[in-house]
Amino acid sequence: MGDLELLLPGEAAVLVRGLRSFPLREIGSGGWNQQHENLEKLNMQAILDATASQGEPIQELLVTHGKIPTLVEELIAVEMWKQKVFPVLCRLEDFKPQNTFPIYMVVHHEASIINLLETVFFHKEVCESAEDAVLDLIDYCHRKLTLLVAQSSRGGPPEEEECQSSTPMQELQKQAELMEFEIASKALSVLRYITDCVDSLSLSTLNRMLSTHDLPCLLVELLEHNPWSRREGGKLQQFEGGRWQTVAPSEQQKLSKLDGQVWIALYNLLLSHEARARYCFTSFAKGQLLKLQAFLTDTLVDQLPNLAGLQGFLAHLALTETQPPKKDLVLEQIPEIWERLERENRGKWQAIAKYQLRHVFSPSEQDLRLQARRWAETYRLDVLEAIAPERPRCAYCSAEASKRCSRCQNEWYCCRECQVKHWEKHGKACVLAAQGDRAK
């Protein structure tokens, strides 16, 4: 591992071996929270390992102990909870949480898992170790990217703005919406890494990607809508690192990471012999794919030279009649995690919400202090600073920050004035975190 270690090798192995799937009813429970903390530690250590380029034991442990399918199931379970249980919970008459941290941890859990998967799926053996769960993961990525295209037609993700009159739940819902956009960008990266393995994927997996979901056409739509770029006040902004950032004029021709992931995925799907033989080049698909020619500029090809091969393929496609390949009879596997979870919990959404309201999301002050202490131990500041992609930003105005809240050490500010303005929102969390530190 790198010079900065969050977990010793033996500790990491214990945490990986202990990973398991939880029923939807237990999401947010004590055991579930412990696993969430363990996943956060594994996630941060995996990023440290990848950054240090000194071997990646977290990825190796997940493969060795067969835990990739478990992570995929947990990912889909929390996605289902957010869609089926969370809205019911918010509508309950008795649901008036004094503190939204426990719910935020559940909402954030999906982002934690997809971030870990993005880090480890860079390695092809991880995709192979996913086994049948790769079908469920492809469906998950397709759902996220479809929502991303739909959201881009409505103007992109919500603004990360302050509103002094917002209730804690309204703030949580805004954060969840913004987080959903970032989750979709991680899902795009995971999907691209799966396409790196296209020549070794099963026929069922290829059929799911190319026929059921028609991923090449979906990826073209992403390039057309370009949901992670916008113009604000005449300046180009890109969505990176969980927020919109202004792009300097000298950097505007530079290929963004997310655009690069789309192009590489298209290259993998369209230039692989196995995938091309399975893809049905209908007149609609041909029309969609030929739109790519307008985007393939010399500047782009200079940055991704492999795209010259894609240029040649599209030139050939333009002259070719649409002749769908022969359709073989295939005994196809289908994803089962989402359907199984929905079948097991159908008609129980309200009962789950009421149970969690009583037993999970109504913690005592003592429980909150204990949880705050555990969070402080999990999110070590030295590790967070090591994995941060850039300098911290002011919690109020988003400018570069150099001052940290002296009481809780969690929030950053550019000046005293911003800290004072932000206190109304930050105060309760600050007191709770400080109490947690004193309880150590």
Side-chain angles (χ1 to χ4, degrees):
M1 294 191 187
D3 294 334
L4 181 60
E5 287 185 337
L6 177 66
L7 297 170
L8 296 173
E11 292 175 310
V14 170
L15 296 187
V16 169
R17 283 199 300 269
L19 293 176
R20 66 182 182 93
S21 301
F22 282 81
L24 262 65
R25 180 185 172 95
E26 291 185 32
I27 287 179
S29 65
W32 184 93
N33 267 311
Q34 181 61 63
Q35 177 156 295
H36 173 75
E37 292 163 18
N38 294 343
L39 275 169
E40 286 286 20
K41 291 176 182 177
L42 292 170
N43 192 6
M44 289 187 282
Q45 187 63 61
I47 294 172
L48 287 173
D49 294 339
T51 304
S53 301
Q54 294 180 356
E56 301 192 28
I58 303 301
Q59 161 253 319
E60 294 166 6
L61 287 169
L62 289 169
V63 171
T64 300
H65 295 289
K67 294 298 183 179
I68 297 298
T70 304
L71 290 178
V72 174
E73 179 159 349
E74 275 291 277
L75 180 71
I76 293 171
V78 76
E79 178 198 20
M80 181 172 288
W81 183 91
K82 286 166 65 175
Q83 288 187 24
K84 305 287 189 179
V85 180
F86 186 43
V88 177
L89 186 66
C90 292
R91 290 195 298 268
L92 291 179
E93 197 171 318
D94 298 333
F95 185 61
K96 299 172 183 177
Q98 297 300 309
N99 194 297
T100 56
F101 276 159
I103 306 169
Y104 178 81
M105 284 297 106
V106 176
V107 173
H108 185 259
H109 191 65
E110 184 181 4
S112 298
I113 298 176
I114 194 66
N115 194 72
L116 177 57
L117 290 176
E118 180 195 30
T119 303
V120 301
F121 257 78
F122 176 80
H123 303 274
K124 291 188 177 182
E125 59 268 26
V126 174
C127 184
E128 294 168 2
S129 75
E131 300 175 341
D132 295 345
V134 74
L135 288 165
D136 297 274
L137 187 55
I138 287 169
D139 271 25
Y140 171 87
C141 294
H142 176 260
R143 288 192 294 271
K144 295 300 176 183
L145 297 186
T146 301
L147 286 172
L148 193 59
V149 170
Q151 190 177 54
S152 67
S153 65
R154 301 194 300 268
E159 294 288 346
E160 194 176 11
E161 56 187 15
E162 296 289 334
C163 182
Q164 300 297 339
S165 61
S166 296
T167 66
M169 278 307 300
Q170 287 171 334
E171 283 295 326
L172 177 64
Q173 287 167 338
K174 285 180 188 175
Q175 290 170 353
E177 288 179 36
L178 193 65
M179 198 182 300
E180 195 66 31
F181 195 87
E182 189 168 7
I183 287 170
S185 70
K186 302 290 185 183
L188 171 59
S189 295
V190 171
L191 182 65
R192 172 252 146 141
Y193 293 137
I194 293 174
T195 67
D196 285 346
C197 308
V198 68
D199 288 329
S200 59
L201 295 175
S202 68
L203 293 181
S204 294
T205 305
L206 278 176
N207 190 62
R208 197 81 185 168
M209 297 171 76
L210 300 171
S211 300
T212 307
H213 296 317
D214 197 354
L215 289 181
C217 285
L218 178 59
L219 293 169
V220 172
E221 285 193 72
L222 278 173
L223 285 176
E224 279 191 296
H225 288 85
N226 202 11
W228 39 82
S229 295
R230 71 178 185 189
R231 289 210 168 262
E232 190 72 18
K235 295 182 179 179
L236 178 66
Q237 294 185 334
Q238 290 181 343
F239 189 82
E240 288 187 13
R243 61 177 169 271
W244 290 103
Q245 300 184 45
T246 300
V247 182
S250 60
E251 297 289 314
Q252 291 185 7
Q253 293 299 315
K254 187 177 178 181
L255 185 67
S256 73
K257 176 186 174 183
L258 293 173
D259 280 318
Q261 299 288 38
V262 176
W263 281 112
I264 295 171
L266 279 166
Y267 177 89
N268 290 337
L269 291 173
L270 295 176
L271 270 72
S272 158
H273 175 76
E274 191 68 34
R276 197 161 54 194
R278 296 283 164 187
Y279 189 55
C280 185
F281 288 94
T282 62
S283 57
F284 171 78
K286 177 180 176 180
Q288 287 293 100
L289 294 175
L290 290 179
K291 291 178 181 179
L292 296 174
Q293 290 178 311
F295 295 99
L296 282 165
T297 62
D298 292 341
T299 303
L300 175 62
V301 176
D302 285 344
Q303 294 176 75
L304 273 179
N306 285 354
L307 293 184
L310 184 58
Q311 274 185 318
F313 165 77
L314 293 172
H316 176 74
L317 179 64
L319 303 174
T320 305
E321 293 293 326
T322 53
Q323 294 179 341
K326 180 181 177 182
K327 293 187 178 180
D328 299 323
L329 180 63
V330 179
L331 294 175
E332 185 180 350
Q333 288 177 292
I334 59 173
E336 60 89 23
I337 294 176
W338 178 278
E339 290 187 10
R340 172 169 53 78
L341 291 174
E342 194 169 39
R343 185 174 62 251
E344 291 171 353
N345 296 283
R346 189 175 291 122
K348 302 177 183 176
W349 310 120
Q350 187 159 7
I352 293 172
K354 287 182 176 179
Y355 172 84
Q356 293 181 331
L357 174 61
R358 290 194 305 272
H359 301 286
V360 177
F361 298 127
S362 301
S364 66
E365 281 295 319
Q366 184 177 359
D367 290 337
L368 282 172
R369 287 195 195 99
L370 178 62
Q371 190 63 59
R373 185 181 69 199
R374 291 169 60 176
W375 288 333
E377 292 170 352
T378 299
Y379 299 105
R380 275 176 41 192
L381 293 176
D382 57 338
V383 176
L384 291 176
E385 290 172 2
I387 65 177
E390 55 183 29
R391 289 181 63 93
R393 297 276 174 172
C394 176
Y396 186 79
C397 71
S398 297
E400 274 198 8
S402 59
K403 306 176 188 300
R404 181 184 280 161
C405 175
S406 60
R407 188 173 193 176
C408 70
Q409 297 287 308
N410 289 337
E411 292 285 17
W412 288 82
Y413 299 97
C414 62
C415 62
R416 174 70 178 168
E417 183 182 357
C418 280
Q419 184 175 12
V420 171
K421 290 178 179 178
H422 192 246
W423 178 252
E424 184 175 348
K425 178 182 176 183
H426 174 58
K428 290 182 181 178
C430 182
V431 172
L432 181 63
Q435 287 174 338
D437 282 340
R438 288 199 299 271
K440 288 183 182 181

